[in-house]
Amino acid sequence: MSEERKIYSLTQLNQSFEKHIWEQFSQRDFWITAELIKINQKSGHFYIELADSANDKTTARSFATIWASTYSTIVNEIGLKETQSILQPGNKVLINVKIEFHTIYGLKLKIRAIDPAYSYGEIERKRQEVIKRLKKEGIYDLQKELRLPTIIKRIALIGSPNTSGYRDFQNELLVNHDFNNFVIKEFPVRVQGDAAVKEIVAAIKDASNHDADVIVILRGGGSKMDLALFDDYEISKAICHSRLPVLTGIGHENDEVVADLVARVTFITPTAVARHIHYAISSFKEIMRELHDKSIQMSMQLLGESKEEFTHYNNYLSHYSRELIHFWRSTFQEQEYEIVQKSRTLLYEGKDSLAALSHRTSAELQGLVQQEGSSLERMLDRISDLSQQQVEREKDMSLQQVLSNIQLLSQQLIDRERIVFGNQEELLALLNPLKILESGYTISTIDDEDVKNRTVKPGDEMKTLANNYLITSKVVSTKEIKHENNG
């Protein structure tokens, strides 16, 4: 015969578990590490789902509770902000627990204490991983290569407008006597919570394309867990790739977050960022005033020195010029006397030569004139006879030939202009809009502007003129067509 089966109820089994766990574990507590998956708060109590993993696979899962009285004790030990920062989904924690088993609710862990140092160590580990990754990708120092403007007037501001740090920045920046004509483009984001990372990354990318001198990222003070948001890889990467220099004013006491390390310049508070910006302008104005005064002083000094030097050279040149004038005046007078004497001698000699030459020339010219006079008379008689005969012949032919030429040229000109006019008339007929519309073509416009001259977007109202209709339609979609030139 088979051995008789012993049957237990579920209650008996769970009561057995409960008794065993009570006997074995009720007097002991355990420090365990786990990841917070879900956290629900009700009536001051916290109901938490814990998990553990290896190689990206879940290896354990359990539920835990923090009773309201225990929560108050934990807050008194490590502080409210630290406790709230640690108790966030996704954080890894080191907690002290007691094991309990209930016949109805099953196994549960009762959390009695939290060690914040473990969470801080986890933050530092992730922080170092992000720094190592950025350096490996070669983008860690990209911001340091950007030139920071001497004067910052246009600011792309990223932060949460509802925080005191954000307001402190604007008050410090705008309330000063040196300069307050800043142009601030605000990019509001959340600086805590699950959506903060995506919003900050999107804001940095958007601000990088904005017309600004710098990007300023702000966050007021907070716990290490709160500030760990700015150790995120995606935020740090966006800062590294920013086209504009990034200034950070993330309130922290000791350690810098990764966003600070990769930024162009970092400050300990939002107020310090604003103070640096308007102090830089004040310093620049002071430097410019000093340079202006120094320039005037040096100009006056150089002007005085140049004036003295000019006076010296003026006196020297005046004296030297008088000496030269006296020397050359004497030289010119001597040369003038010699020239006058030589000119008179040459004039007398030339006068005698010219008189003799004039006598000979007069006699020769008189003979030549008589000879040429006889030849010219004979030639004039000959030319007169020939001219008279030619005039008589040309008189009959010339007028008729001119009239014929004018008639021929006029007819040619009229025929040429008639051809040109006919071509223009045919061209005008071909270009007639009505003729084009009759051929099946249409004219489409949006806001009385030809569609080929503007960008067509869905939702635009388009008017199309055909041969017999004016059609009004709404654009549903567009598709760009690129034509290849085959010719």
Side-chain angles (χ1 to χ4, degrees), residues 202-258:
I204 293 172
K205 292 180 179 179
D206 193 11
S208 180
N209 296 320
H210 189 66
D211 183 19
D213 298 321
V214 296
I215 296 173
V216 175
I217 302 176
L218 302 178
R219 195 213 191 280
S223 66
K224 287 188 177 182
M225 299 296 294
D226 292 332
L227 299 179
L229 170 72
F230 289 94
D231 288 325
D232 183 80
Y233 168 76
E234 294 298 333
I235 292 178
S236 303
K237 178 182 176 182
I239 292 175
C240 292
H241 285 298
S242 171
R243 179 184 62 86
L244 300 175
V246 176
L247 281 60
T248 57
I250 301 171
H252 46 72
E253 297 177 357
N254 298 314
D255 297 333
E256 293 178 307
V257 294
V258 180

Side-chain angles (χ1 to χ4, degrees), residues 424-460:
Q424 295 290 338
E425 193 172 33
E426 291 178 3
L427 180 60
L428 287 173
L430 290 173
L431 296 177
N432 190 338
L434 296 178
K435 187 75 174 179
I436 294 173
L437 294 176
E438 288 176 359
S439 300
Y441 290 93
T442 61
I443 300 174
S444 298
T445 61
I446 296 176
D447 296 332
D448 297 328
E449 184 180 355
D450 199 316
V451 294
K452 72 178 183 179
N453 297 327
R454 62 172 291 153
T455 301
V456 180
K457 300 177 295 185
D460 287 345

Side-chain angles (χ1 to χ4, degrees), residues 79-126:
L80 177 61
K81 283 190 174 181
E82 296 296 331
T83 305
Q84 291 175 340
S85 300
I86 292 173
L87 293 179
Q88 297 292 330
N91 288 342
K92 279 193 172 182
V93 294
L94 175 60
I95 53 178
N96 181 268
V97 299
K98 284 187 71 70
I99 302 174
E100 293 182 347
F101 188 88
H102 192 277
T103 56
I104 296 178
Y105 302 110
L107 181 69
K108 279 200 174 183
L109 304 177
K110 184 170 68 174
I111 298 176
R112 303 175 61 190
I114 299 174
D115 185 353
Y118 175 84
S119 299
Y120 298 155
E122 188 67 16
I123 291 173
E124 181 61 24
R125 183 187 65 78
K126 291 181 179 179

Side-chain angles (χ1 to χ4, degrees), residues 317-335:
L317 289 173
S318 297
H319 174 75
Y320 186 68
S321 298
R322 284 194 294 269
E323 293 291 331
L324 286 176
I325 291 171
H326 178 72
F327 170 77
W328 286 110
R329 181 180 290 155
S330 301
T331 303
F332 289 154
Q333 287 175 350
E334 293 175 1
Q335 291 180 351

Side-chain angles (χ1 to χ4, degrees), residues 71-223:
Y71 180 76
S72 299
T73 303
I74 294 173
V75 169
N76 291 333
E77 290 177 353
I78 66 175
L80 177 61
K81 283 190 174 181
E82 296 296 331
T83 305
Q84 291 175 340
S85 300
I86 292 173
L87 293 179
Q88 297 292 330
N91 288 342
K92 279 193 172 182
V93 294
L94 175 60
I95 53 178
N96 181 268
V97 299
K98 284 187 71 70
I99 302 174
E100 293 182 347
F101 188 88
H102 192 277
T103 56
I104 296 178
Y105 302 110
L107 181 69
K108 279 200 174 183
L109 304 177
K110 184 170 68 174
I111 298 176
R112 303 175 61 190
I114 299 174
D115 185 353
Y118 175 84
S119 299
Y120 298 155
E122 188 67 16
I123 291 173
E124 181 61 24
R125 183 187 65 78
K126 291 181 179 179
R127 179 171 173 268
Q128 293 302 323
E129 286 181 354
V130 170
I131 293 173
K132 184 177 179 181
R133 182 178 178 184
L134 294 172
K135 289 182 177 180
K136 184 178 180 180
E137 294 175 0
I139 63 176
Y140 184 81
D141 293 318
L142 288 181
Q143 275 285 310
K144 301 300 185 289
E145 299 174 3
L146 298 180
R147 176 185 171 275
L148 187 67
T150 303
I151 296 179
I152 298 172
K153 295 171 58 179
R154 298 168 299 172
I155 301 170
L157 182 59
I158 299 175
S160 177
N162 298 322
T163 60
S164 59
Y166 196 92
R167 292 190 295 270
D168 291 343
F169 171 83
Q170 292 190 321
N171 291 336
E172 180 69 26
L173 186 68
L174 300 177
V175 182
N176 69 86
H177 299 292
D178 295 307
F179 184 84
N180 52 25
N181 191 25
F182 294 97
V183 178
I184 301 176
K185 171 63 175 176
E186 298 185 36
F187 295 85
V189 296
R190 283 173 280 190
V191 291
Q192 61 184 13
D194 297 337
V197 171
K198 290 184 178 179
E199 290 185 5
I200 294 172
V201 170
I204 293 172
K205 292 180 179 179
D206 193 11
S208 180
N209 296 320
H210 189 66
D211 183 19
D213 298 321
V214 296
I215 296 173
V216 175
I217 302 176
L218 302 178
R219 195 213 191 280
S223 66

